[in-house]
Amino acid sequence: MRTQVAIVGAGPAGLLLGRLLERHGIDTVIVEQRSRDYVLGRIRAGVLEYATASLLDDAGVGARMRAEGLVHHGLELCFDGDRHRIDLQALVGRHVIVYGQTEVTADLMQARDVSGGRIVYEAEDVTPLEFAGSQPHVRYTKDGITHEIACDFIAGCDGFHGVCRQSIPEGAITNFERVYPFGWLGVLVDQPPVAPELIYAHHARGFALCSMRSLSRSRYYVQVASDERAEAWSDDRFWDELRSRLDPESAESLRTGVSIEKSIAPLRSFVAEPMRFGRLFLAGDAAHIVPPTGAKGLNLAASDVRCLAEALVEFYDEKSPAGIDGYSARVLRRIWKAERFSWWMTSLLHTFPDAGDFGRRMQRAEFDYLTGSRAGAESLAENYTGLPL
Ligand code: APR
Ligand code: PHB
């Protein structure tokens, strides 16, 4: 089999890259180790920056997002029960769209079905090969038969645990990492959200987030210790803990129910530099992870692949390597800013085992600054709705 760009991973990064390249007549094959249903069953965040939503429009996959996504002009911060609204629209003239990553993935898969783009699910032992030279290929096994895809470039869109980053020779790549001493326990429930906008809450018992997928489906999180197990949390225990961290009005109006999903995600900041080795490019979670506070993960994946697609189009159309040579440095500038924002929001809103009284006073002062200063609030709004590429 031959293609121009072999894409490893059918998450949002791989699928969107395939879509953007296809719009410019560049052929791709996507190789994914999981089944389609498995990929569609993963529950992840769902806040789209303004520019991510526009990119989905440009890629011709924005119709359902525009019809079903919820436009949010603001968000709420809550500190020890004091709630304050950040008016994104008034501060920076932009909004965000609440639309689940699962839905984005489904829309991209549907578009690929319609256009007939090749995609191999349940591929085993996927291996990127000879990408240091000019004739890279990707090997995989499917139903016991080994296949090879010869290509011009490989795009590693295979997430944090993927094979592509790990295939780059040690020493050619530097990893930067911070692991936080807690995780998020998340619950999905078919109940209307507690408030029309997201509530990010700091409380002495830990962080809590009230989010949503639609007007009838809510997503809630509470900060838990790193060694906590989801099985130890009955629905009742979860709802009691969540209520205890919210302001009285929200705690009162919270509509609880039987959880339809409950899981714990660790929190990590991670960046691998550079995001290119020879003819292998990394994009999305394969190269960087942000803690979910601020919902930057999917948005960063989108801006990476936008930039990578532009670079590859330039290479094929104008025979210029400038774009692909500049790809890593260009996207890393934006990635580090999103890393900073996600780390900062995490630091503001969570309880840290070693913060001490001084650390807690700093968090309160930060909250008071943000809620009392237009400059402070504007900075949050600018980052939350998305910095320019
Ligand atoms: N071979 C083939 N596919 C693989 C391999 C492999 N060795 N390893 C992983 N994959 C697949 C995964 O099964 C997954 O479907 O790569 C895909 C990577 O998708 P994501 O993890 O969703 O990563 P990405 O597309 O970069 O999307 C970033 O996902 O984790 C969230 O917060 C993050 O929202 C952000 C988004
Ligand atoms: C979510 O809805 O899952 C979500 C929303 C906002 C975040 C993180 C997660 O910052």
Side-chain angles (χ1 to χ4, degrees), residues 63-299:
R64 198 162 67 95
M65 168 197 70
R66 294 291 175 195
E68 297 175 17
L70 306 172
V71 173
H72 281 203
H73 294 109
L75 60 87
E76 305 238 28
L77 294 179
C78 179
F79 204 98
D80 293 340
D82 296 341
R83 242 168 89 178
H84 181 92
R85 180 164 188 264
I86 302 286
D87 189 334
L88 301 171
Q89 191 70 38
L91 288 161
V92 292
R94 289 197 303 266
H95 59 256
V96 293
I97 296 188
V98 173
Y99 188 63
Q101 178 171 320
T102 311
E103 308 308 323
V104 174
T105 307
D107 295 344
L108 286 163
M109 281 180 175
Q110 155 89 20
R112 198 164 175 97
D113 287 347
V114 170
S115 64
R118 288 177 286 177
I119 177 157
V120 182
Y121 288 103
E122 295 176 90
E124 292 164 47
D125 299 324
V126 177
T127 315
L129 292 163
E130 288 172 56
F131 47 82
S134 59
Q135 292 179 314
H137 43 277
V138 173
R139 183 181 295 154
Y140 66 93
T141 303
K142 168 104 183 163
D143 301 328
I145 300 167
T146 298
H147 302 263
E148 264 189 25
I149 308 170
C151 55
D152 302 328
F153 299 101
I154 300 173
C157 301
D158 50 348
F160 182 64
H161 299 287
V163 65
C164 289
R165 188 182 72 250
Q166 283 159 29
S167 305
I168 297 175
E170 222 178 291
I173 201 163
T174 308
N175 296 334
F176 300 85
E177 185 169 40
R178 167 154 307 178
V179 178
Y180 300 88
F182 41 72
W184 281 16
L185 169 64
V187 156
L188 195 63
V189 64
D190 275 329
Q191 285 288 352
V194 65
E197 294 175 340
L198 271 60
I199 306 174
Y200 289 86
H202 171 100
H203 188 273
R205 295 182 65 85
F207 168 77
L209 171 61
C210 305
S211 181
M212 65 194 74
R213 291 290 173 272
S214 68
L215 295 178
S216 58
R217 179 170 285 190
S218 305
R219 180 72 166 159
Y220 294 105
Y221 298 93
V222 294
Q223 173 187 350
V224 294
S226 301
D227 58 0
E228 205 50 81
R229 287 168 35 256
E231 301 75 56
W233 287 78
S234 66
D235 287 351
D236 284 345
R237 182 178 175 203
F238 179 86
W239 297 123
D240 287 345
E241 189 59 45
L242 177 63
R243 266 193 224 98
S244 77
R245 299 182 186 190
L246 300 177
D247 59 288
E249 191 197 325
S250 306
E252 176 74 21
S253 54
L254 181 72
R255 306 258 302 257
T256 63
V258 179
S259 63
I260 47 178
E261 197 263 358
K262 193 187 287 152
S263 56
I264 294 184
L267 265 71
R268 180 195 303 273
S269 299
F270 174 88
V271 182
E273 287 188 5
M275 287 167 56
R276 175 199 185 176
F277 184 85
R279 286 178 168 250
L280 170 68
F281 298 94
L282 301 177
D285 277 18
H288 44 76
I289 294 286
V290 286
T293 336
K296 289 291 163 219
L298 173 59
N299 294 294

Side-chain angles (χ1 to χ4, degrees), residues 366-380:
E366 181 96 48
F367 174 80
D368 289 343
Y369 171 62
L370 281 176
T371 55
S373 150
R374 181 173 172 114
E378 201 172 318
S379 165
L380 190 159

Side-chain angles (χ1 to χ4, degrees), residues 6-72:
I7 300 174
V8 183
L15 288 164
L16 183 57
L17 178 64
R19 179 70 182 173
L20 294 171
L21 293 177
E22 174 199 324
R23 308 275 277 182
H24 286 89
I26 298 172
D27 187 60
T28 61
V29 176
I30 302 181
V31 189
E32 163 63 50
Q33 70 176 4
R34 303 286 189 171
S35 69
R36 183 181 174 121
D37 286 348
Y38 182 96
V39 173
L40 281 176
R42 283 192 297 234
I43 310 284
R44 271 138 175 213
V47 179
L48 306 183
E49 289 175 1
Y50 194 81
T52 305
S54 305
L55 181 63
L56 295 176
D57 287 334
D58 295 346
V61 290
R64 198 162 67 95
M65 168 197 70
R66 294 291 175 195
E68 297 175 17
L70 306 172
V71 173
H72 281 203

Side-chain angles (χ1 to χ4, degrees), residues 342-360:
S342 309
W343 159 85
W344 169 81
M345 244 184 119
T346 302
S347 311
L348 168 70
L349 293 169
H350 292 73
T351 52
F352 287 76
D354 56 359
D357 291 341
F358 184 82
R360 283 188 283 277

